[in-house]
């Protein structure tokens, strides 16, 4: 009886049909394998990547499998898309595995043993799982079709949208639905609604519908044969075309996740020491690393990167998806001999990418954070910026800023001797780390040093350190620009010079840890300096240090000092790039301020517009990123216009939002304040209550942000 609980795989097909099926299957697989080989051979022809992408390959594969299996990238910011993709992925994989199991039984197990395992309980379980997961697959594809053609989700459409995208989704639907139709005809024609076929509940239901519609046993046999061949041929064409069309992302995307750099964008690739001017940056398609070529093929055109890009939202000429797909289209056309070679990036002319697009990028990494397949936009954009720099096509305002850095160590062009002038108005002396041993070497940064508005932030932070009796010191005029954004606009040579000069200055002091005012400084010291120098000291943003001081009671705050409502903006370099989210929020709440979050917070934060050289450039924009962010603070938070202060933890953010407050007409609606200023305001509100003395010293060697002195 158990042996009767099964089905005939090649029912109505016959020996000739079966032979033709295997022949076509072999052809389809051969075409697939050749195309896949050609793709990976093209990657191998690319330049070596700066970082090791294949170390601990088994571990990389396992981590990538977890990421892909969880669909975490698809769920981020978009629950509908996450559910849709999970249904499609797991449904597709189940159908693929199920087909493979059937092939093993037919072509290996039966010839070797003379028996089939595709019977009895195994067959019943197999049939139920295949129907259930196949249904999820069809539902997922249906969700995709609904979003694309009924909702017409804007990010799914663009200049690279083509018939290929339509063919892909409709082919998936045809394959999924076709399998059930085939099953229904088989149930009508061969089993006459045998009870055990109820486990194939979708096919059984359709069989009932077709029978009620008048499909007889004889008709079912004929329809089965026609449907079987239609389904098989469509599947073979799909398999054969995978390496040549959009379905290849099923392979390339996984490869992209396997070879990802977890710090991509946070740290950037360097330049070989022996590289000549013509070898710096991406001048031709042959200059691209193999990983960046893989990036292009991994792109699924989902538009997530474009939908979160602040440059695109503000009307700047940048669409991250189009840049990636423009490069892919150019490479494929060039490889096929369909186009002439042109410059990859240039200011005007017929280049693949316009200089204005690269200048628009804020290096905020929102695109990379949103990308579910780990495309490294910022790393590629930086390589193109380097090319613009080497060919003298850098924006004039950025050129002026870079010249100021080269000559004076700061973008303001002010003498180095004026760097510590911000401390002149303090009623205490800021220690000189070059002359005394300190726990914290405080890298003040250029905006807190030279910009009048941000000098208040530096004085506030110095006051906090003094009140908490922190052992700290600064480098005075020996401090130079940190180089973070210098590197991101393409000035790699100047960046390396700054690394050398700052590292030398650090070595002139004796300290345990580095604390920075600016998250941009923290990022480059923490993640990039160790790549190009012997600098390896622990680096913290000031909010991490001050949070520890507050927890230790060294500032004497009790959380009742202030009583208004504020919102907090996560700086890109502090939050998205370095995962510091809670320390700033804890400090805000420690003052008694009620914190009302903006919808786009933490990793989803919207850039101020100052990164990647944006602070030094003027752009024609429909709405400045800073203006849009202030609007969000006042209109989209739960507290609405009750928000009185817009709290920042980055001097560059503070500068951009002070500007946006004026240009967006928000001056009467909201105030920009740094967390250091907010804490000093809270201390002042205590009406002169003495600050508690510091706790006992911690053990030597503590690398926490703020060990007690």
């Amino acid at each position: 009886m158990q042996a009767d609980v099964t089905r005939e795989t090649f029912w109505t097909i016959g020996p000739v049909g079966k032979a033709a099926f295997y022949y076509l299957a072999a052809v389809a697989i051969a075409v697939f394998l050749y195309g896949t080989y050609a793709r990976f051979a093209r990657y191998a022809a690319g330049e070596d990547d700066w970082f090791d992408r294949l170390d601990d390959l088994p571990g990389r594969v396992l981590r990538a499998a977890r990421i892909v299996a969880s669909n975490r990238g698809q769920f981020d910011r978009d629950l509908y898309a996450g559910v849709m993709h999970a249904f499609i992925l797991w449904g597709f994989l189940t159908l693929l595995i199920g087909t493979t199991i059937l092939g093993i039984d037919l072509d290996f197990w039966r010839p070797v043993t003379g028996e089939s395992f595709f019977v009895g309980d195994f067959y019943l379980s197999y049939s139920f799982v295949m129907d259930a997961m196949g249904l999820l697959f069809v539902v997922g594809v249906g969700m995709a079709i609904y979003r694309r053609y009924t909702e017409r989700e804007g990010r799914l459409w663009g200049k690279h949208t083509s018939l290929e995208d339509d063919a892909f989704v409709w082919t998936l639907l045809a394959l999924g639905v076709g399998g059930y139709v085939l099953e229904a005809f088989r149930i009508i024609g061969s089993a006459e609604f045998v009870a055990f076929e109820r486990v194939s509940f979708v096919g059984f239901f359709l069989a009932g519908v077709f029978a009620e519609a008048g499909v007889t046993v004889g008709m079912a046999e004929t329809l089965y044969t026609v449907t079987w061949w239609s389904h098989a041929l469509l599947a073979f064409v799909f398999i054969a075309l995978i390496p040549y069309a959009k379905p290849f992302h099923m392979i390339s995307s996984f490869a992209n996740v396997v070879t990802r750099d977890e710090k991509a964008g946070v740290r950037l690739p360097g330049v070989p020491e022996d590289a000549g001017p013509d070898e710096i940056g991406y001048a031709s398609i042959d200059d691209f690393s193999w990983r960046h070529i893989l990036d292009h093929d991994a792109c699924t055109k989902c538009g997530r990167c474009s939908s979160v890009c602040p440059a695109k939202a503000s009307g700047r000429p940048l669409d991250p998806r189009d840049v990636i797909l423009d490069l892919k289209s150019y490479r494929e056309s060039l490889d096929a001999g369909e186009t002439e070679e042109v410059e990859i990036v240039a200011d005007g002319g017929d280049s693949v990418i316009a200089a204005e697009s690269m200048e628009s990028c804020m290096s905020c990494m929102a695109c990379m954070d949103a990308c579910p397949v780990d495309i490294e936009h910022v790393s590629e954009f930086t390589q193109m910026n380097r090319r613009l720099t080497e060919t003298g096509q850098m924006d004039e305002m950025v050129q002026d800023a870079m010249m100021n850095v080269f000559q004076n160590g700061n973008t303001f062009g002010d003498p180095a001797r004026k760097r510590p002038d911000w401390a002149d108005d303090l009623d205490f002396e800021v220690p000189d780390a070059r002359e005394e041993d300190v726990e914290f070497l405080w890298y003040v940064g250029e905006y807190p040093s030279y910009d009048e508005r941000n000098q208040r932030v530096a004085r506030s932070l110095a006051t906090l350190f003094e009140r908490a009796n922190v052992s700290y010191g600064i480098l005075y005029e020996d401090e130079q620009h940190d180089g973070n954004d210098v590197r991101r606009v393409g000035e790699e040579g100047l960046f390396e010079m700054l690394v050398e000069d700052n590292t030398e200055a650090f070595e002139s002091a004796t300290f345990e840890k580095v604390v920075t005012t600016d998250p941009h400084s923290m990022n480059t010291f923490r993640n990039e300096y160790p790549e190009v120098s012997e600098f390896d000291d622990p680096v913290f943003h000031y909010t991490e240090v001050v949070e520890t001081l507050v927890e230790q009671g060294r500032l004497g705050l009790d959380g009742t000092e202030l009583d208004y409502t504020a919102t907090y903006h996560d700086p890109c370099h502090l939050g998205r790039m370095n995962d510091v989210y809670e320390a700033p929020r804890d400090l805000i709440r420690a003052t008694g301020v009620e914190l009302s979050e903006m919808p786009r917070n933490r990793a989803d934060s919207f850039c101020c517009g100052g990164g990647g050289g944006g602070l030094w450039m003027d752009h024609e924009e429909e709405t400045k990123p800073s203006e849009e962010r202030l609007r969000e603070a006042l209109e989209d938070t739960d507290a609405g216009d009750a928000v009185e202060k817009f709290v920042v933890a980055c001097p560059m953010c503070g500068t951009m939002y002070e500007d946006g407050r004026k240009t967006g007409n928000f001056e009467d609606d909201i105030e920009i304040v740094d967390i250091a200023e907010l804490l000093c305001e809270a201390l002042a509100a205590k009406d002169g209550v003495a600050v508690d003395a510091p706790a006992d010293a911690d053990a030597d060697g503590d690398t926490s942000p703020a060990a007690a002195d």
Side-chain angles (χ1 to χ4, degrees):
M1 292 293 291
Q2 282 280 60
D4 292 334
V5 180
T6 187
R7 65 175 169 84
E8 186 179 348
T9 303
F10 289 100
W11 180 60
T12 78
I13 303 305
V16 175
K18 184 176 179 181
F21 172 85
Y22 279 106
Y23 172 76
L24 292 173
V27 171
I29 293 172
V31 173
F32 165 80
L33 291 175
Y34 175 79
T36 302
Y37 167 79
R39 287 271 194 173
F40 280 90
R42 183 64 183 87
Y43 306 146
E47 289 293 314
D48 291 340
D49 197 87
W50 184 262
F51 302 109
D52 190 349
R53 305 287 189 157
L54 300 175
D55 58 314
D56 183 26
L57 190 56
R60 282 179 171 271
V61 172
L62 287 174
R63 288 190 292 272
R66 285 196 295 268
I67 291 170
V68 172
S70 69
N71 283 272
R72 75 183 192 192
Q74 284 75 16
F75 277 103
D76 183 32
R77 296 181 174 91
D78 194 337
L79 177 62
Y80 184 97
V83 172
M84 175 195 77
H85 194 272
F87 283 1
I88 295 174
L89 172 66
W90 281 108
F92 183 87
L93 288 177
T94 302
L95 295 175
L96 177 63
I97 292 169
T99 303
T100 303
I101 290 172
L102 182 57
I104 291 172
D105 178 69
L106 281 171
D107 304 320
F108 296 97
W109 190 260
R110 292 188 195 184
V112 171
T113 67
E115 297 179 352
S116 170
F117 60 72
F118 197 61
V119 295
D121 290 340
F122 180 87
Y123 171 74
L124 295 175
S125 301
Y126 173 96
S127 298
F128 176 77
V129 170
M130 290 288 280
D131 258 44
M133 297 304 292
L135 180 59
L136 288 186
F137 174 74
V138 172
V139 170
V141 175
M143 292 172 68
I145 289 172
Y146 176 80
R147 170 164 276 198
R148 176 176 288 272
Y149 300 106
T150 302
E151 283 189 347
R152 291 192 69 83
E153 170 65 44
R155 65 177 174 83
L156 299 177
W157 300 85
K159 74 177 190 177
H160 287 281
T161 303
S162 66
L163 181 62
E164 175 186 68
D165 303 294
D166 302 320
F168 178 49
V169 70
W170 288 108
T171 298
L172 291 180
L173 183 67
L175 287 171
V177 173
Y180 287 121
V181 172
L182 193 63
E183 186 175 59
F185 290 149
R186 178 184 55 77
I187 291 172
I188 294 173
S190 66
E192 297 180 353
F193 294 91
V194 174
F196 69 74
E197 291 288 12
R198 291 181 183 276
V199 295
S200 302
F201 60 95
V202 179
F204 199 86
F205 170 77
L206 282 179
V209 172
F210 291 156
E212 287 294 323
V215 176
T216 64
V217 172
M219 292 172 60
E221 290 187 18
T222 303
L223 290 171
Y224 179 86
T225 302
V226 173
T227 305
W228 192 93
W229 276 112
S230 299
H231 187 75
L233 291 174
L234 182 62
F236 290 153
V237 170
F238 181 80
I239 292 169
L241 292 180
I242 283 176
Y244 309 96
K246 187 171 182 174
F248 188 67
H249 84 267
M250 296 184 293
I251 298 172
S252 57
S253 294
F254 183 74
N256 225 43
V257 178
V258 169
T259 58
R260 70 193 179 112
D261 172 20
E262 293 185 354
K263 289 187 175 183
V266 173
R267 64 177 184 181
L268 295 173
V271 172
E273 293 183 4
D274 58 350
D278 294 335
E279 299 174 299
I280 297 177
Y282 286 162
S284 74
I285 207 67
D286 294 331
D287 296 329
F288 281 74
S289 75
W290 65 265
R291 179 47 169 71
H292 287 165
I293 297 174
L294 178 60
D295 265 350
H296 306 160
D297 284 355
C299 180
T300 65
K301 307 183 187 179
C302 70
R304 285 172 177 261
C305 58
S306 302
S307 69
V308 300
C309 176
K312 180 175 173 60
S314 64
R316 296 187 190 181
L318 172 62
D319 185 316
R321 172 180 59 181
D322 283 352
V323 171
I324 297 298
L325 293 176
D326 284 346
L327 291 167
K328 175 184 178 179
S329 178
Y330 168 70
R331 169 175 53 84
E332 291 181 338
S333 296
L334 192 65
D335 288 349
E338 298 171 354
T339 189
E340 297 293 326
E341 188 168 358
V342 297
E343 293 182 90
I344 292 296
V345 61
D347 185 5
D350 298 323
S351 61
V352 182
I353 306 299
E356 293 77 15
S357 294
M358 294 300 93
E359 292 165 355
S360 297
C361 178
M362 304 167 193
S363 294
C364 68
M365 282 182 55
C367 54
M368 292 176 59
D369 182 72
C371 180
V373 296
D374 287 302
I375 292 172
E376 299 175 1
H377 308 74
V378 172
S379 298
E380 293 194 46
F381 293 2
T382 300
Q383 291 283 22
M384 288 184 273
N385 279 332
R386 287 174 181 169
R387 194 68 212 146
L388 292 172
T389 298
E390 288 302 314
T391 54
Q393 300 179 79
M394 180 185 285
D395 178 269
E396 289 186 8
M397 297 180 70
V398 177
Q399 285 188 43
D400 291 342
M402 296 303 98
M403 183 57 69
N404 286 336
V405 172
F406 178 75
Q407 294 177 337
N408 299 289
N410 66 84
T411 61
F412 290 86
D414 290 341
R417 57 183 167 76
K418 290 189 175 183
R419 199 171 192 102
D421 286 0
W422 60 270
D424 290 348
D425 294 335
L426 294 171
D427 57 6
F428 54 86
E429 188 75 20
V430 175
D432 189 334
R434 300 167 301 179
E435 298 177 356
E436 59 181 276
D437 295 354
V438 296
E439 180 183 0
F440 285 101
L441 173 62
W442 176 20
Y443 180 88
V444 182
E446 70 164 45
Y447 266 76
S449 296
Y450 291 106
D451 176 64
E452 184 176 354
R453 166 64 185 87
N454 280 290
Q455 286 177 342
R456 302 206 308 261
V457 177
R459 287 192 284 269
S460 296
L461 186 52
T463 299
L464 295 175
F465 286 160
E466 284 291 323
R467 293 203 179 196
N469 196 25
V470 172
S471 170
Y472 76 101
I474 66 174
L475 293 172
Y476 281 78
E477 67 273 8
D478 286 351
E479 180 182 294
Q480 295 199 49
H481 193 284
D482 57 67
N484 183 84
D485 292 275
V486 167
R487 193 178 206 194
R488 279 150 183 77
V489 299
E491 265 288 5
E492 183 69 12
L494 181 56
F495 168 75
E496 292 177 0
M497 184 191 80
L498 291 169
V499 172
E500 183 178 345
D501 291 347
N502 278 321
T503 300
E504 184 178 339
F506 293 161
E507 290 174 349
S508 70
T510 302
F511 61 93
E512 298 176 24
K513 310 156 195 170
V514 175
V515 58
T516 72
T517 321
D518 192 335
H520 295 242
S521 308
M522 179 198 74
N523 178 73
T524 198
F525 292 157
R526 181 182 287 185
N527 299 302
E528 296 188 304
Y529 273 45
E531 296 282 336
V532 294
S533 74
E534 296 181 358
F535 178 87
D536 60 356
D537 297 291
V539 182
F540 302 96
H541 183 251
Y542 83 83
T543 56
E544 298 176 282
V545 174
V546 177
E547 180 194 32
T548 303
L549 301 178
V550 170
E551 289 176 349
Q552 293 173 348
R554 295 169 65 176
L555 288 176
L557 295 172
D558 57 28
T560 62
E561 288 78 10
L562 305 176
D563 62 356
Y564 51 77
T565 301
T567 193
Y568 170 66
H569 165 75
D570 287 280
C572 303
H573 282 72
L574 185 63
R576 187 156 43 238
M577 297 189 190
N578 288 283
D579 297 321
V580 179
Y581 297 116
E582 299 311 317
R585 289 172 168 80
D586 290 343
L587 291 176
I588 293 170
R589 296 189 184 99
T591 67
V593 166
E594 180 182 347
L595 179 61
S596 182
E597 294 281 6
M598 288 180 277
R600 291 176 287 189
N601 61 73
R602 294 178 169 81
D604 296 344
S605 184
F606 192 74
C607 182
C608 70
L615 194 65
W616 309 315
M617 287 185 267
D618 285 331
H619 291 279
E620 291 185 10
E621 298 169 312
E622 297 168 5
T623 301
K624 292 184 177 183
S626 56
E627 296 172 359
E628 163 58 18
R629 190 65 160 155
L630 291 172
R631 181 211 60 76
E632 180 181 358
L634 292 167
E635 297 180 11
D636 296 344
T637 59
D638 290 338
D641 58 9
V643 174
E644 297 179 38
K645 295 194 178 185
F646 188 94
V647 184
V648 298
C650 169
M652 292 176 69
C653 289
T655 299
M656 298 304 292
Y657 287 121
E658 289 288 8
D659 179 63
R661 185 167 163 258
K662 297 173 184 175
T663 59
N665 296 317
F666 294 111
E667 291 182 278
D668 297 331
D669 303 319
I670 198 167
E671 181 183 349
I672 313 300
V673 60
D674 190 273
I675 288 178
E677 296 175 294
L678 188 71
L679 289 165
C680 283
E681 180 186 352
L683 289 174
K686 293 183 72 66
D687 296 325
V689 175
V691 179
D692 293 337
D696 294 334
D698 283 2
D700 291 339
D702 185 6
T703 58
S704 63
D709 298 299

